[in-house]
Amino acid sequence: MSNENITRLKLCEKDKVVNFLNQHWGTIHPLVNNEALFNYYYVDGEWTNFYCLSDDDGIAAVCGYIKCSEDA
């Protein structure tokens, strides 16, 4: 796979990351499933702080981060 398959998810694609994590993480984690917490930690304007790797079957992996400041 190439880096061309890695994209940052837009806020309108939030359900993709939530569904992927609920299916593969093993627990229904509050940081992902509580909308207020998700928005506080992972939303940056019209974007989420998640990148995904896609393949022919859909999302293969996700990587999320929590910004520590607005300067970062």
Side-chain angles (χ1 to χ4, degrees):
M1 286 187 194
S2 71
N3 289 343
E4 296 168 358
N5 296 336
I6 299 173
T7 57
R8 186 174 180 188
L9 291 174
K10 294 181 179 182
L11 183 55
C12 64
E13 300 173 296
K14 173 183 170 180
D15 287 344
K16 289 181 181 181
V17 71
V18 171
N19 292 339
F20 180 86
L21 290 173
N22 284 340
Q23 184 177 4
H24 298 284
W25 204 347
T27 63
I28 304 299
H29 200 283
L31 284 180
V32 174
N33 290 278
N34 180 299
E35 187 169 357
L37 289 175
F38 185 97
N39 291 342
Y40 180 79
Y41 286 110
Y42 297 117
V43 173
D44 188 11
E46 294 184 24
W47 296 92
T48 68
N49 294 336
F50 282 94
Y51 286 81
C52 76
L53 172 68
S54 298
D55 63 14
D56 293 338
D57 297 323
I59 295 178
V62 297
C63 177
Y65 64 94
I66 296 172
K67 286 177 59 172
C68 62
S69 72
E70 289 300 318
D71 298 333

